[in-house]
mmCIF file of all heavy atoms in Angstrom:
data_model
loop_
_atom_site.group_PDB
_atom_site.id
_atom_site.type_symbol
_atom_site.label_atom_id
_atom_site.label_comp_id
_atom_site.label_asym_id
_atom_site.label_seq_id
_atom_site.Cartn_x
_atom_site.Cartn_y
_atom_site.Cartn_z
ATOM 1 N N ARG A 156 23.032 5.109 18.946
ATOM 2 C CA ARG A 156 21.695 5.544 19.312
ATOM 3 C C ARG A 156 20.863 4.314 19.602
ATOM 4 O O ARG A 156 21.173 3.220 19.143
ATOM 5 C CB ARG A 156 21.065 6.369 18.183
ATOM 6 C CG ARG A 156 21.562 7.805 18.145
ATOM 7 C CD ARG A 156 20.862 8.591 17.059
ATOM 8 N NE ARG A 156 21.524 8.407 15.785
ATOM 9 C CZ ARG A 156 22.155 9.379 15.133
ATOM 10 N NH1 ARG A 156 22.243 10.571 15.652
ATOM 11 N NH2 ARG A 156 22.710 9.145 13.968
ATOM 12 N N GLY A 157 19.734 4.488 20.288
ATOM 13 C CA GLY A 157 18.931 3.331 20.658
ATOM 14 C C GLY A 157 19.631 2.564 21.751
ATOM 15 O O GLY A 157 20.146 3.146 22.693
ATOM 16 N N PRO A 158 19.673 1.239 21.673
ATOM 17 C CA PRO A 158 20.307 0.444 22.716
ATOM 18 C C PRO A 158 21.761 0.838 22.922
ATOM 19 O O PRO A 158 22.232 0.979 24.033
ATOM 20 C CB PRO A 158 20.204 -0.988 22.206
ATOM 21 C CG PRO A 158 19.060 -0.959 21.287
ATOM 22 C CD PRO A 158 19.076 0.404 20.637
ATOM 23 N N GLY A 159 22.494 1.028 21.814
ATOM 24 C CA GLY A 159 23.832 1.551 21.876
ATOM 25 C C GLY A 159 24.801 0.764 22.732
ATOM 26 O O GLY A 159 24.697 -0.432 22.954
ATOM 27 N N GLU A 160 25.802 1.477 23.262
ATOM 28 C CA GLU A 160 26.904 0.867 23.981
ATOM 29 C C GLU A 160 26.423 0.162 25.234
ATOM 30 O O GLU A 160 26.910 -0.912 25.589
ATOM 31 C CB GLU A 160 27.915 1.956 24.340
ATOM 32 C CG GLU A 160 29.231 1.432 24.849
ATOM 33 C CD GLU A 160 30.234 2.561 24.997
ATOM 34 O OE1 GLU A 160 29.838 3.725 24.844
ATOM 35 O OE2 GLU A 160 31.397 2.257 25.267
ATOM 36 N N LYS A 161 25.447 0.762 25.913
ATOM 37 C CA LYS A 161 24.962 0.161 27.157
ATOM 38 C C LYS A 161 24.460 -1.250 26.921
ATOM 39 O O LYS A 161 24.740 -2.169 27.693
ATOM 40 C CB LYS A 161 23.837 1.031 27.736
ATOM 41 C CG LYS A 161 23.272 0.499 29.049
ATOM 42 C CD LYS A 161 22.183 1.431 29.563
ATOM 43 C CE LYS A 161 21.583 0.896 30.851
ATOM 44 N NZ LYS A 161 20.501 1.772 31.355
ATOM 45 N N LYS A 162 23.708 -1.468 25.837
ATOM 46 C CA LYS A 162 23.163 -2.790 25.552
ATOM 47 C C LYS A 162 24.265 -3.749 25.097
ATOM 48 O O LYS A 162 24.203 -4.939 25.361
ATOM 49 C CB LYS A 162 22.078 -2.692 24.468
ATOM 50 C CG LYS A 162 20.889 -1.836 24.867
ATOM 51 C CD LYS A 162 20.120 -2.480 26.008
ATOM 52 C CE LYS A 162 18.807 -1.767 26.253
ATOM 53 N NZ LYS A 162 18.968 -0.388 26.700
ATOM 54 N N LEU A 163 25.258 -3.243 24.388
ATOM 55 C CA LEU A 163 26.323 -4.120 23.902
ATOM 56 C C LEU A 163 27.135 -4.711 25.040
ATOM 57 O O LEU A 163 27.753 -5.755 24.891
ATOM 58 C CB LEU A 163 27.249 -3.335 22.964
ATOM 59 C CG LEU A 163 26.703 -3.074 21.565
ATOM 60 C CD1 LEU A 163 27.628 -2.146 20.821
ATOM 61 C CD2 LEU A 163 26.543 -4.373 20.814
ATOM 62 N N GLU A 164 27.158 -4.038 26.175
ATOM 63 C CA GLU A 164 27.917 -4.532 27.309
ATOM 64 C C GLU A 164 27.202 -5.662 28.042
ATOM 65 O O GLU A 164 27.754 -6.306 28.917
ATOM 66 C CB GLU A 164 28.197 -3.365 28.279
ATOM 67 C CG GLU A 164 29.184 -2.353 27.696
ATOM 68 C CD GLU A 164 29.257 -1.078 28.525
ATOM 69 O OE1 GLU A 164 28.400 -0.885 29.405
ATOM 70 O OE2 GLU A 164 30.174 -0.290 28.278
ATOM 71 N N MET A 165 25.935 -5.874 27.695
ATOM 72 C CA MET A 165 25.209 -6.993 28.313
ATOM 73 C C MET A 165 25.716 -8.308 27.749
ATOM 74 O O MET A 165 26.190 -8.380 26.627
ATOM 75 C CB MET A 165 23.710 -6.874 28.011
ATOM 76 C CG MET A 165 23.034 -5.659 28.577
ATOM 77 S SD MET A 165 21.286 -5.634 28.077
ATOM 78 C CE MET A 165 20.755 -4.158 28.924
ATOM 79 N N ASP A 166 25.568 -9.364 28.495
ATOM 80 C CA ASP A 166 25.919 -10.669 27.946
ATOM 81 C C ASP A 166 24.743 -11.192 27.122
ATOM 82 O O ASP A 166 23.685 -10.580 27.054
ATOM 83 C CB ASP A 166 26.315 -11.661 29.051
ATOM 84 C CG ASP A 166 25.196 -11.881 30.064
ATOM 85 O OD1 ASP A 166 24.025 -11.604 29.735
ATOM 86 O OD2 ASP A 166 25.496 -12.330 31.184
ATOM 87 N N ARG A 167 24.943 -12.317 26.472
ATOM 88 C CA ARG A 167 23.915 -12.839 25.577
ATOM 89 C C ARG A 167 22.597 -13.126 26.300
ATOM 90 O O ARG A 167 21.522 -12.911 25.752
ATOM 91 C CB ARG A 167 24.425 -14.118 24.906
ATOM 92 C CG ARG A 167 25.562 -13.872 23.935
ATOM 93 C CD ARG A 167 25.896 -15.147 23.184
ATOM 94 N NE ARG A 167 27.012 -14.952 22.298
ATOM 95 C CZ ARG A 167 26.923 -14.381 21.095
ATOM 96 N NH1 ARG A 167 25.763 -13.942 20.674
ATOM 97 N NH2 ARG A 167 27.999 -14.247 20.338
ATOM 98 N N ARG A 168 22.702 -13.604 27.511
ATOM 99 C CA ARG A 168 21.476 -13.922 28.248
ATOM 100 C C ARG A 168 20.649 -12.664 28.498
ATOM 101 O O ARG A 168 19.423 -12.663 28.343
ATOM 102 C CB ARG A 168 21.812 -14.574 29.587
ATOM 103 C CG ARG A 168 20.580 -14.964 30.417
ATOM 104 C CD ARG A 168 20.983 -15.594 31.732
ATOM 105 N NE ARG A 168 21.783 -14.668 32.536
ATOM 106 C CZ ARG A 168 21.248 -13.692 33.291
ATOM 107 N NH1 ARG A 168 19.936 -13.524 33.316
ATOM 108 N NH2 ARG A 168 22.026 -12.907 34.004
ATOM 109 N N MET A 169 21.314 -11.578 28.874
ATOM 110 C CA MET A 169 20.621 -10.319 29.125
ATOM 111 C C MET A 169 19.955 -9.799 27.853
ATOM 112 O O MET A 169 18.835 -9.304 27.882
ATOM 113 C CB MET A 169 21.605 -9.291 29.664
ATOM 114 C CG MET A 169 22.143 -9.601 31.046
ATOM 115 S SD MET A 169 20.902 -9.353 32.342
ATOM 116 C CE MET A 169 20.850 -7.560 32.388
ATOM 117 N N ILE A 170 20.646 -9.939 26.730
ATOM 118 C CA ILE A 170 20.084 -9.479 25.464
ATOM 119 C C ILE A 170 18.869 -10.323 25.082
ATOM 120 O O ILE A 170 17.851 -9.807 24.624
ATOM 121 C CB ILE A 170 21.149 -9.512 24.347
ATOM 122 C CG1 ILE A 170 22.182 -8.412 24.592
ATOM 123 C CG2 ILE A 170 20.502 -9.323 22.975
ATOM 124 C CD1 ILE A 170 23.255 -8.328 23.534
ATOM 125 N N ARG A 171 18.966 -11.642 25.297
ATOM 126 C CA ARG A 171 17.825 -12.512 24.989
ATOM 127 C C ARG A 171 16.618 -12.142 25.842
ATOM 128 O O ARG A 171 15.486 -12.148 25.359
ATOM 129 C CB ARG A 171 18.211 -13.982 25.220
ATOM 130 C CG ARG A 171 19.060 -14.578 24.105
ATOM 131 C CD ARG A 171 19.029 -16.104 24.149
ATOM 132 N NE ARG A 171 19.568 -16.594 25.408
ATOM 133 C CZ ARG A 171 20.846 -16.926 25.587
ATOM 134 N NH1 ARG A 171 21.713 -16.785 24.596
ATOM 135 N NH2 ARG A 171 21.266 -17.383 26.748
ATOM 136 N N GLU A 172 16.847 -11.832 27.111
ATOM 137 C CA GLU A 172 15.746 -11.447 27.993
ATOM 138 C C GLU A 172 15.108 -10.141 27.523
ATOM 139 O O GLU A 172 13.883 -9.990 27.547
ATOM 140 C CB GLU A 172 16.255 -11.295 29.426
ATOM 141 C CG GLU A 172 16.594 -12.621 30.101
ATOM 142 C CD GLU A 172 17.190 -12.438 31.487
ATOM 143 O OE1 GLU A 172 17.380 -11.263 31.896
ATOM 144 O OE2 GLU A 172 17.447 -13.455 32.160
ATOM 145 N N GLN A 173 15.943 -9.210 27.105
ATOM 146 C CA GLN A 173 15.432 -7.929 26.609
ATOM 147 C C GLN A 173 14.636 -8.117 25.331
ATOM 148 O O GLN A 173 13.576 -7.511 25.137
ATOM 149 C CB GLN A 173 16.609 -6.970 26.358
ATOM 150 C CG GLN A 173 16.209 -5.562 25.941
ATOM 151 C CD GLN A 173 15.709 -4.719 27.094
ATOM 152 O OE1 GLN A 173 15.296 -5.260 28.123
ATOM 153 N NE2 GLN A 173 15.713 -3.416 26.917
ATOM 154 N N ILE A 174 15.136 -8.974 24.436
ATOM 155 C CA ILE A 174 14.417 -9.265 23.190
ATOM 156 C C ILE A 174 13.065 -9.887 23.498
ATOM 157 O O ILE A 174 12.043 -9.526 22.909
ATOM 158 C CB ILE A 174 15.255 -10.187 22.277
ATOM 159 C CG1 ILE A 174 16.442 -9.416 21.689
ATOM 160 C CG2 ILE A 174 14.403 -10.771 21.154
ATOM 161 C CD1 ILE A 174 17.397 -10.274 20.887
ATOM 162 N N SER A 175 13.050 -10.825 24.443
ATOM 163 C CA SER A 175 11.804 -11.483 24.825
ATOM 164 C C SER A 175 10.794 -10.478 25.369
ATOM 165 O O SER A 175 9.604 -10.516 25.026
ATOM 166 C CB SER A 175 12.093 -12.562 25.874
ATOM 167 O OG SER A 175 10.894 -13.192 26.285
ATOM 168 N N ARG A 176 11.255 -9.550 26.198
ATOM 169 C CA ARG A 176 10.360 -8.537 26.763
ATOM 170 C C ARG A 176 9.792 -7.634 25.679
ATOM 171 O O ARG A 176 8.595 -7.328 25.650
ATOM 172 C CB ARG A 176 11.116 -7.691 27.793
ATOM 173 C CG ARG A 176 10.259 -6.622 28.461
ATOM 174 C CD ARG A 176 11.067 -5.777 29.408
ATOM 175 N NE ARG A 176 12.075 -4.992 28.728
ATOM 176 C CZ ARG A 176 11.808 -3.849 28.070
ATOM 177 N NH1 ARG A 176 10.561 -3.409 27.986
ATOM 178 N NH2 ARG A 176 12.773 -3.180 27.482
ATOM 179 N N LEU A 177 10.658 -7.207 24.768
ATOM 180 C CA LEU A 177 10.213 -6.321 23.696
ATOM 181 C C LEU A 177 9.227 -7.015 22.763
ATOM 182 O O LEU A 177 8.276 -6.403 22.273
ATOM 183 C CB LEU A 177 11.410 -5.808 22.900
ATOM 184 C CG LEU A 177 12.281 -4.775 23.615
ATOM 185 C CD1 LEU A 177 13.536 -4.488 22.798
ATOM 186 C CD2 LEU A 177 11.510 -3.495 23.857
ATOM 187 N N LYS A 178 9.454 -8.309 22.517
ATOM 188 C CA LYS A 178 8.525 -9.058 21.674
ATOM 189 C C LYS A 178 7.134 -9.105 22.294
ATOM 190 O O LYS A 178 6.118 -8.996 21.595
ATOM 191 C CB LYS A 178 9.051 -10.480 21.443
ATOM 192 C CG LYS A 178 10.149 -10.574 20.392
ATOM 193 C CD LYS A 178 10.543 -12.022 20.156
ATOM 194 C CE LYS A 178 11.553 -12.148 19.027
ATOM 195 N NZ LYS A 178 11.944 -13.563 18.802
ATOM 196 N N LYS A 179 7.086 -9.279 23.610
ATOM 197 C CA LYS A 179 5.797 -9.292 24.299
ATOM 198 C C LYS A 179 5.112 -7.931 24.193
ATOM 199 O O LYS A 179 3.907 -7.848 23.965
ATOM 200 C CB LYS A 179 5.993 -9.675 25.768
ATOM 201 C CG LYS A 179 6.358 -11.132 25.979
ATOM 202 C CD LYS A 179 6.572 -11.446 27.462
ATOM 203 C CE LYS A 179 6.966 -12.914 27.661
ATOM 204 N NZ LYS A 179 7.244 -13.213 29.085
ATOM 205 N N GLU A 180 5.891 -6.860 24.353
ATOM 206 C CA GLU A 180 5.319 -5.519 24.227
ATOM 207 C C GLU A 180 4.811 -5.278 22.811
ATOM 208 O O GLU A 180 3.755 -4.688 22.611
ATOM 209 C CB GLU A 180 6.377 -4.467 24.582
ATOM 210 C CG GLU A 180 6.714 -4.384 26.057
ATOM 211 C CD GLU A 180 7.609 -3.197 26.362
ATOM 212 O OE1 GLU A 180 7.413 -2.133 25.746
ATOM 213 O OE2 GLU A 180 8.503 -3.341 27.217
ATOM 214 N N LEU A 181 5.592 -5.752 21.831
ATOM 215 C CA LEU A 181 5.199 -5.558 20.445
ATOM 216 C C LEU A 181 3.940 -6.351 20.125
ATOM 217 O O LEU A 181 3.071 -5.889 19.382
ATOM 218 C CB LEU A 181 6.341 -5.976 19.514
ATOM 219 C CG LEU A 181 6.181 -5.625 18.035
ATOM 220 C CD1 LEU A 181 5.975 -4.135 17.848
ATOM 221 C CD2 LEU A 181 7.401 -6.095 17.248
ATOM 222 N N GLU A 182 3.803 -7.557 20.685
ATOM 223 C CA GLU A 182 2.597 -8.355 20.475
ATOM 224 C C GLU A 182 1.371 -7.641 21.039
ATOM 225 O O GLU A 182 0.290 -7.694 20.461
ATOM 226 C CB GLU A 182 2.752 -9.732 21.132
ATOM 227 C CG GLU A 182 3.613 -10.698 20.340
ATOM 228 C CD GLU A 182 3.094 -10.934 18.928
ATOM 229 O OE1 GLU A 182 1.868 -11.130 18.785
ATOM 230 O OE2 GLU A 182 3.906 -10.908 17.984
ATOM 231 N N GLU A 183 1.558 -6.978 22.168
ATOM 232 C CA GLU A 183 0.460 -6.217 22.767
ATOM 233 C C GLU A 183 0.036 -5.073 21.856
ATOM 234 O O GLU A 183 -1.154 -4.835 21.642
ATOM 235 C CB GLU A 183 0.911 -5.661 24.127
ATOM 236 C CG GLU A 183 -0.164 -4.881 24.865
ATOM 237 C CD GLU A 183 0.345 -4.297 26.163
ATOM 238 O OE1 GLU A 183 1.247 -4.905 26.787
ATOM 239 O OE2 GLU A 183 -0.146 -3.218 26.558
ATOM 240 N N VAL A 184 1.027 -4.382 21.298
ATOM 241 C CA VAL A 184 0.731 -3.296 20.370
ATOM 242 C C VAL A 184 0.053 -3.832 19.120
ATOM 243 O O VAL A 184 -0.896 -3.240 18.592
ATOM 244 C CB VAL A 184 2.030 -2.547 19.995
ATOM 245 C CG1 VAL A 184 1.760 -1.518 18.906
ATOM 246 C CG2 VAL A 184 2.618 -1.867 21.216
ATOM 247 N N LYS A 185 0.513 -4.981 18.631
ATOM 248 C CA LYS A 185 -0.060 -5.583 17.424
ATOM 249 C C LYS A 185 -1.498 -6.016 17.651
ATOM 250 O O LYS A 185 -2.346 -5.908 16.761
ATOM 251 C CB LYS A 185 0.793 -6.768 16.975
ATOM 252 C CG LYS A 185 2.130 -6.360 16.378
ATOM 253 C CD LYS A 185 3.055 -7.538 16.150
ATOM 254 C CE LYS A 185 2.557 -8.451 15.075
ATOM 255 N NZ LYS A 185 3.520 -9.543 14.793
ATOM 256 N N ARG A 186 -1.792 -6.525 18.861
ATOM 257 C CA ARG A 186 -3.182 -6.900 19.168
ATOM 258 C C ARG A 186 -4.087 -5.676 19.156
ATOM 259 O O ARG A 186 -5.210 -5.728 18.658
ATOM 260 C CB ARG A 186 -3.245 -7.594 20.535
ATOM 261 C CG ARG A 186 -2.838 -9.053 20.516
ATOM 262 C CD ARG A 186 -3.258 -9.765 21.796
ATOM 263 N NE ARG A 186 -2.564 -9.236 22.966
ATOM 264 C CZ ARG A 186 -1.401 -9.697 23.400
ATOM 265 N NH1 ARG A 186 -0.795 -10.690 22.765
ATOM 266 N NH2 ARG A 186 -0.831 -9.167 24.475
ATOM 267 N N HIS A 187 -3.566 -4.569 19.695
ATOM 268 C CA HIS A 187 -4.330 -3.326 19.679
ATOM 269 C C HIS A 187 -4.550 -2.863 18.248
ATOM 270 O O HIS A 187 -5.647 -2.435 17.882
ATOM 271 C CB HIS A 187 -3.583 -2.256 20.479
ATOM 272 C CG HIS A 187 -4.273 -0.934 20.511
ATOM 273 N ND1 HIS A 187 -5.495 -0.740 21.121
ATOM 274 C CD2 HIS A 187 -3.921 0.278 19.989
ATOM 275 C CE1 HIS A 187 -5.869 0.513 20.991
ATOM 276 N NE2 HIS A 187 -4.931 1.157 20.296
#
Side-chain angles (χ1 to χ4, degrees):
R156 281 183 275 246
E160 191 172 8
K161 181 179 178 181
K162 298 294 190 296
L163 284 173
E164 291 169 348
M165 297 178 178
D166 59 21
R167 292 187 183 280
R168 181 180 60 81
M169 293 288 287
I170 289 182
R171 282 198 299 267
E172 288 176 358
Q173 185 76 339
I174 288 174
S175 179
R176 181 183 65 79
L177 288 172
K178 281 184 175 180
K179 289 179 181 177
E180 288 188 38
L181 190 57
E182 283 302 315
E183 182 183 329
V184 173
K185 288 170 68 176
R186 280 195 295 271
H187 179 65

